[in-house]
Amino acid sequence: MISRRKILSRSRDDLNMDYVMEDEDIWYQMDKLYKDHMQEVLEKWTQIDDEIWAKVICFERNRRVAKAYARAPVLTINGSDDGFNGYRIGLLGFDNPMRDSKTDEVKRNVGHGVKIKMDDAGNILIKRISKANVYVKNTLGPDDNSISVDALKLPNGALEVDKPVKLFDIKKFQHNVSRELKRSYPDRRKLEFQCISAVAFVKNEAEVLDCPCWVIIINIVAMDMLKSKLPPVQQKLSLISKPKVTEEDPYSVPGSGSTCSSRDLRMDRPPKLPPRDTSMSRYQIPKPDYEEKQQQQQQQLHSDEDKYRIPQIGRAHV
């Protein structure tokens, strides 16, 4: 049977619900995206093994769908459905409930994708082995990036087939770090962002967050180098520490079995008076004449007695 009350109560509950929910895997600004991912790496820094040289995060437009650490000498990123197996990242192996048809089509055309590796100096090399286009994205300023000059010269950042190029130039990064350290107030955040490289597959968009399929590669070696040159700023402790407030029996006597420190005992004593000002000793201050004041009080007392004294009546003569 249909109940009107049940329907109406459900409708009222729906009106009170907040449908706008924040998704932690969605970003709307590149600065916020870079900042959050750099913070994730720094928070887990002590857990990152020495063999790990990069962290790869996969995106579909502005939504993160996967992340993995690169430990293998050569890492392949392609359009397979393998997910991540340590040596290969298959972009079709990750779920995304918000995936649109255009993104699905782009991911199916990734093909063999790219191969990335790090050399002994700390450079990250990338080589396109797919027939589909692959683009190097410069998300920072013209002078505030670590992309090699050869990669920046590519038309629209499109990689050529089977021609490796430096995706991350370690010497350029070191030069940028040295230049920043000479400033009065070095911007560490700007140098952190230079540790990130962005690569888009198949479809290139003006805004990186609009690309259907793209990844970022965080250079862990460069971050380690930056930590040694310019350590991250930790939260400053308050200079004024609040004293601990202990609940004590207000009727307890200090020293009667209750814990009482020497500081507490000192607080029970009256405070010391300030030193006497000796600057006034040069002036002669008249002393009060207490004897004169006492004589005046006695005279006043005698006058009051005479005022209220009863006169004596003489005896009558017969």
Side-chain angles (χ1 to χ4, degrees), residues 73-314:
V74 179
L75 181 66
T76 302
I77 305 176
N78 58 23
S80 66
D81 56 357
D82 295 335
F84 178 65
N85 61 4
Y87 298 90
R88 185 184 301 107
I89 296 179
L91 297 176
L92 276 177
F94 308 111
D95 296 330
N96 180 11
M98 306 299 293
R99 182 180 299 158
D100 55 80
S101 57
K102 186 176 180 181
T103 300
D104 186 69
E105 180 183 358
V106 167
K107 298 192 74 170
R108 294 185 183 279
N109 291 325
V110 172
H112 295 291
V114 298
K115 290 182 180 292
I116 60 173
K117 60 177 282 188
M118 175 174 283
D119 61 12
D120 296 336
N123 300 300
I124 295 181
L125 307 177
I126 185 171
K127 182 173 69 172
R128 169 188 164 188
I129 56 177
S130 173
K131 296 180 180 179
N133 290 329
V134 180
Y135 304 92
V136 176
K137 303 292 292 183
N138 181 14
T139 59
L140 305 175
D143 299 326
D144 297 328
N145 64 80
S146 298
I147 305 174
S148 66
V149 177
D150 295 336
L152 291 174
K153 290 180 179 180
L154 296 173
N156 296 324
L159 296 175
E160 299 179 8
V161 181
D162 292 332
K163 289 187 177 182
V165 67
K166 285 183 183 179
L167 179 64
F168 182 92
D169 191 341
I170 192 68
K171 289 186 177 180
K172 185 176 180 180
F173 176 71
Q174 291 174 339
H175 173 75
N176 293 342
V177 172
S178 301
R179 182 186 60 186
E180 191 67 26
L181 290 176
K182 294 178 181 179
R183 301 181 187 274
S184 301
Y185 302 98
D187 189 351
R188 190 181 194 280
R189 184 60 53 81
K190 182 167 62 175
L191 296 174
E192 285 181 349
F193 288 177
Q194 295 183 31
C195 298
I196 303 176
S197 305
V199 178
F201 295 90
V202 183
K203 184 70 174 177
N204 189 21
E205 299 288 348
E207 295 292 334
V208 182
L209 295 175
D210 294 333
C211 293
C213 181
W214 60 288
V215 300
I216 62 173
I217 303 166
I218 302 177
N219 191 330
I220 302 297
V221 175
M223 287 189 62
D224 200 356
M225 185 183 301
L226 180 60
K227 280 174 62 68
S228 62
K229 297 288 186 179
L230 190 63
V233 179
Q234 298 180 354
Q235 294 182 353
K236 296 182 179 179
L237 298 177
S238 177
L239 297 178
I240 303 176
S241 59
K242 296 182 179 180
K244 293 184 179 179
V245 180
T246 57
E247 296 183 359
E248 297 181 355
D249 186 4
Y251 301 102
S252 63
V253 180
S256 60
S258 60
T259 59
C260 185
S261 62
S262 60
R263 180 181 180 275
D264 297 332
L265 293 175
R266 289 196 302 269
M267 292 300 294
D268 293 338
R269 300 174 184 175
K272 293 183 179 180
L273 295 175
R276 181 175 297 177
D277 189 3
T278 57
S279 61
M280 298 296 294
S281 59
R282 298 177 300 178
Y283 305 97
Q284 295 180 357
I285 302 176
K287 296 182 179 180
D289 190 355
Y290 295 104
E291 295 180 357
E292 181 180 357
K293 187 175 182 180
Q294 187 175 4
Q295 292 177 0
Q296 292 178 357
Q297 291 178 353
Q298 290 178 356
Q299 292 177 1
Q300 182 70 23
L301 181 61
H302 290 316
S303 62
D304 292 341
E305 290 177 356
D306 295 340
K307 185 185 298 183
Y308 297 103
R309 182 177 298 172
I310 300 174
Q312 296 181 359
I313 302 173

